[in-house]
Amino acid sequence: MRDPVILDTPHDLGPAAVLSIADGSSVVLGAGLLDRVTLSRQATLRALAAGGAVYGVSTGMGDQSHLAVGTGEQPAFQDDLMLARSVGGAPWLGRREVRAAVAARLRTLLEPEAGASPALAAALVGVLEAGLLPAVPATGNGAAGEIIPLAHLGAFLTGRGEGLDAAGAATPAGFLLRGAGLAPYGFGGKEGVAFLQGVPVATAQTVLLADDTRLLAAQALTAAAGEIALCRAPRDPYSAALARGDDALATVLAALRDLVGDEPGPRMLQAPVSFRVVGPALAHLLRSAALLDAAAMRALDGVSTSPALVEGRFLGTSGFDGFDLAAAADGVRLSALHVAEVGAARMHRLLDPRVTGLPPQLSAAPGRQAGMVAVHKRAVGLLHEARRTSAPASLGASETSLGQEDVQSFALEATRAAQQALGVLRDVTACELVVLHQGTQLDDTGPRGSQRLQAVLRKAFELLPQVVDDRPTGREVTALSHVLGVGWAHDLLG
């Protein structure tokens, strides 16, 4: 049973809390926080009553912002904002992603400039508590911001959208809400437009992405350590003295030294390049994750609503701009593919008897059996597919809304592309581990590396057959990809 996330201030809902909620934690809104939200809501209602045009409240949105919305129409207008903008479809975001997005949306709506009510916060918490899964599209977001996915989430709250049932089928939201004992929510003045503003979905994706990136970095490092130990490569490139001025590199090299241990009789004077650049490649992946963390914090802490109530005035803002998140996600994508490329190069070296001292291609019967050469080819194929679509996802803005200036940041596309790159790294690492397992079985000199490395590798290899003859190794890659996905070696980078 997970401990609940207790919110006494909006800042209590930071990245760690978003992760916890994504993984199933409940949320408790503290009494003091609700009191402050009530005060900010009252200030918003007073400002609205003072008169004057307010974007998305007393006017239309986008190219129709010069058109007035009558006083009598304004209450229904906030709910109706969700309808025409709910244009997405499958594939839908998964449960973990949606829960993280709801948490990030809640976080930004708790800030005073959003002017949301305690009732709206409670409605979002109710969706989380009931385990409901709004149908939020994963693709097709061409807006300057996240109006399309947020409209789907908002329409679910009003009961006019869709959610996913236990089988993953799209189901009317009203039916799901009633089944959970919840009433549809009706947005109050300014709440609908506030709900549609900002980039909470990409922010949530970024938080999840950073966590996945650190996990994959630890796993790739562990596979590399096993390869270094198997080849009896020189330990020179991992010396602490070589990390001067680079904390991330120091962290990686220290972890490598701990895992590989000493090698009194290296097989070569200088290891192949792919062995020597393990540290810098993984250090940059960690730096990329840190940049994601920083971008996510800026998105959570910043003024993300528009118009924002600041010192009694409604101000138009740029809170919809997610380029900060998109650029950071693109950085992770490139860093992950670089680590995967370096891993594939090391795998190739493991097939060379001049590097390992083992049979060519790690074959149990060279000439008659192919050994591990096709496993390397699989990794090469994965990388080739990834390279074909490696252009930055954060670029490519197009005008929409009748030519109204509309600069998209494509943050959701960038985070999705980065997750796909991490998937490639996961599969390449799984390929490396299959090849490493074959090599350790062919090496009759005994296990190499530290006892900690041997223990963690045994944990990965326990699902693999203890044979060295040719076999369908695809199922072994699949098994190890699953082991990586559930968190193998997560603690080896601190």
Side-chain angles (χ1 to χ4, degrees):
M1 187 72 177
R2 288 181 169 273
D3 291 335
V5 174
I6 300 174
L7 303 181
D8 294 316
T9 73
H11 296 278
D12 292 331
L13 220 174
V18 170
L19 279 173
S20 184
I21 294 167
D23 290 328
S25 290
S26 60
V27 178
V28 177
L29 299 169
L33 174 62
L34 289 174
D35 288 343
R36 289 187 291 274
V37 173
T38 298
L39 291 175
S40 63
R41 178 61 180 166
Q42 291 170 347
T44 297
L45 293 176
R46 287 194 299 271
L48 291 174
V54 179
Y55 178 85
V57 180
S58 60
T59 76
M61 292 180 65
D63 192 56
Q64 297 188 25
S65 60
H66 64 287
L67 300 175
V69 176
T71 303
E73 298 173 301
Q74 289 178 18
F77 177 51
Q78 293 299 296
D79 283 356
D80 292 347
L81 287 173
M82 311 298 157
L83 297 180
R85 295 166 178 82
S86 296
V87 297
W92 308 107
L93 294 179
R95 178 171 297 277
R96 192 166 182 257
E97 296 169 309
V98 171
R99 288 184 63 87
V102 172
R105 176 74 294 174
L106 174 63
R107 165 70 173 84
T108 51
L109 289 176
L110 292 173
E111 295 288 358
E113 65 274 355
S117 67
L120 177 52
L124 288 170
V125 170
V127 168
L128 294 171
E129 193 71 19
L132 297 177
L133 182 57
V136 180
T139 61
N141 180 46
E146 296 179 350
I147 287 177
I148 294 172
L150 290 174
H152 280 265
L153 182 56
F156 179 88
L157 285 183
T158 68
R160 293 194 283 179
E162 291 182 315
L164 304 181
D165 65 14
T171 304
F175 174 81
L176 295 172
L177 289 168
R178 285 192 300 274
L182 299 175
Y185 183 77
F187 288 106
K190 193 187 173 295
E191 285 191 316
V193 66
F195 198 89
L196 292 175
Q197 296 294 331
V199 285
V201 184
T203 303
Q205 295 281 71
T206 299
V207 170
L208 299 177
L209 181 62
D211 192 54
D212 290 344
T213 299
R214 283 185 286 270
L215 172 60
L216 264 296
Q219 294 170 340
L221 178 140
T222 307
E227 293 161 342
I228 292 164
L230 177 67
C231 294
R232 292 166 48 195
R235 305 309 199 245
D236 296 355
Y238 321 118
S239 168
L242 303 181
R244 184 174 62 211
D246 190 338
D247 292 342
L249 181 58
T251 297
V252 170
L253 296 186
L256 276 173
R257 291 193 304 274
D258 176 64
L259 290 173
V260 300
D262 295 327
E263 177 50 71
R267 285 187 48 80
M268 60 211 79
L269 177 63
Q270 185 164 260
V273 169
S274 55
F275 285 74
R276 284 181 276 150
V277 301
V278 172
L282 288 171
H284 193 71
L285 187 57
L286 289 181
R287 282 193 289 272
S288 298
L291 290 174
L292 275 177
D293 287 332
M297 280 304 307
R298 285 189 290 271
L300 289 171
D301 287 343
V303 177
S304 63
T305 194
S306 182
L309 183 63
V310 179
E311 298 178 351
R313 296 175 54 225
F314 288 110
L315 305 180
T317 79
S318 59
F320 56 83
D321 182 34
F323 187 79
D324 188 13
L325 299 168
D330 276 337
V332 162
R333 182 185 186 189
L334 296 178
S335 299
L337 291 178
H338 175 60
V339 171
E341 287 184 332
V342 172
R346 274 195 316 275
M347 200 187 321
H348 201 191
R349 300 285 76 76
L350 293 184
L351 305 179
D352 188 342
R354 295 169 298 177
V355 175
T356 64
L358 299 173
Q361 298 183 180
L362 296 179
S363 170
R368 188 174 66 84
Q369 295 191 9
M372 294 286 105
V373 67
V375 179
H376 176 249
K377 291 179 184 294
R378 171 174 172 165
V380 168
L382 290 168
L383 284 165
H384 180 70
E385 292 175 15
R387 292 188 197 104
R388 287 192 298 109
T389 56
S390 59
S394 51
L395 298 180
S398 301
E399 287 197 350
T400 61
S401 301
L402 298 177
Q404 175 188 345
E405 187 182 39
D406 205 5
V407 180
Q408 300 98 336
S409 58
F410 298 110
L412 288 173
E413 287 79 357
T415 56
R416 188 172 67 254
Q419 285 288 3
Q420 291 168 349
L422 289 182
V424 171
L425 174 56
R426 181 177 292 112
D427 283 350
V428 169
T429 301
C431 290
E432 289 183 72
L433 288 169
V434 168
V435 173
L436 177 61
H437 181 237
Q438 178 84 353
T440 58
Q441 293 185 101
L442 291 172
D443 185 4
D444 58 10
T445 63
R448 299 188 176 278
S450 69
Q451 290 186 351
R452 190 182 188 196
L453 175 62
Q454 293 168 28
V456 74
L457 288 177
R458 278 197 301 272
K459 190 68 175 176
F461 295 159
E462 63 187 10
L463 297 178
L464 304 184
Q466 303 302 308
V467 296
V468 292
D469 289 328
D470 280 1
R471 58 201 182 273
T473 49
R475 65 190 65 170
E476 297 176 31
V477 176
T478 299
L480 286 174
S481 290
H482 174 74
V483 169
L484 299 179
V486 298
W488 172 79
H490 69 278
D491 59 343
L492 294 189
L493 265 174

